Amino acid sequence: MAEKFTKGMARNIYYGGSFFFLLLLLGLTVDTVRQLPERSRSENITPEVAHGKELWETNNCIGCHSLMGEGAYYAPELANVFDRRGMANEEAFKGYMQSWLAAQPMDNPRRRKMPQFNLTQEEVDALAEFLIWTSRVDDNDWPPNVEG
């Protein structure tokens, strides 16, 4: 190596490093796009799941809850709520969601308050379907513990 670090050497390192990391970014992007259909289980998105996602967005659930690590951390992570509650089947989970949402806001001074959204039974079922679908997405075992 030369005793003096020249502008030409710095330029070559800059361009070489930039090119290397651009190739790395492209390779990782191709790998992600290739894996996405298998991991997302998009074939299981029904109109009810899509309606549940719409309800999730219009009621700003992500303003308090997180879903697969995205969102606020004020309230529990909900990506694994179906698994976390250990429901025997989807209908039991829908019943749980009906009773949980009907009981809000709970009168417990030590708990954070969830607002009452006054959702219909069909809307709660759609929201439950969305959360069930979310729990079946391959999210690399997120969250790291069962309680989120």
Side-chain angles (χ1 to χ4, degrees):
M1 183 172 210
E3 288 186 30
K4 198 169 189 186
F5 193 71
T6 65
K7 282 186 180 181
M9 295 168 87
R11 183 179 51 244
N12 290 341
I13 291 171
Y14 174 77
Y15 287 132
S18 296
F19 183 68
F20 170 77
F21 284 106
L22 179 64
L23 287 178
L24 181 64
L25 174 67
L26 289 174
L28 291 172
T29 301
V30 167
D31 183 55
T32 299
V33 169
R34 189 179 48 79
Q35 289 183 25
L36 200 55
E38 178 185 326
R39 295 180 70 159
S40 71
R41 301 181 191 233
S42 58
E43 69 276 0
N44 295 338
I45 297 176
T46 63
E48 193 171 28
V49 170
H51 183 57
K53 170 84 162 73
E54 180 184 342
L55 288 166
W56 174 268
E57 292 172 350
T58 57
N59 289 301
N60 192 27
C61 299
I62 206 151
C64 295
H65 293 277
S66 59
L67 191 66
M68 293 189 215
E70 295 291 325
Y73 288 95
Y74 181 76
E77 162 77 34
L78 293 182
N80 66 345
V81 69
F82 178 67
D83 302 325
R84 182 169 61 228
R85 293 296 163 228
M87 298 294 149
N89 59 39
E90 294 175 10
E91 293 306 314
F93 182 69
K94 288 178 183 179
Y96 165 78
M97 289 286 294
Q98 288 287 341
S99 59
W100 175 259
L101 290 172
Q104 302 306 320
M106 293 181 149
D107 189 27
N108 186 343
R110 296 179 305 179
R111 285 187 63 94
R112 296 174 178 156
K113 304 284 188 237
M114 180 171 163
Q116 176 56 258
F117 290 105
N118 297 314
L119 300 175
T120 66
Q121 182 170 352
E122 291 77 27
E123 290 173 328
V124 173
D125 287 348
L127 192 57
E129 283 292 330
F130 171 65
L131 293 174
I132 291 168
W133 175 81
T134 303
S135 73
R136 294 182 176 151
V137 170
D138 181 4
D139 54 5
N140 287 330
D141 298 324
W142 182 264
N145 61 49
V146 72
E147 284 303 318

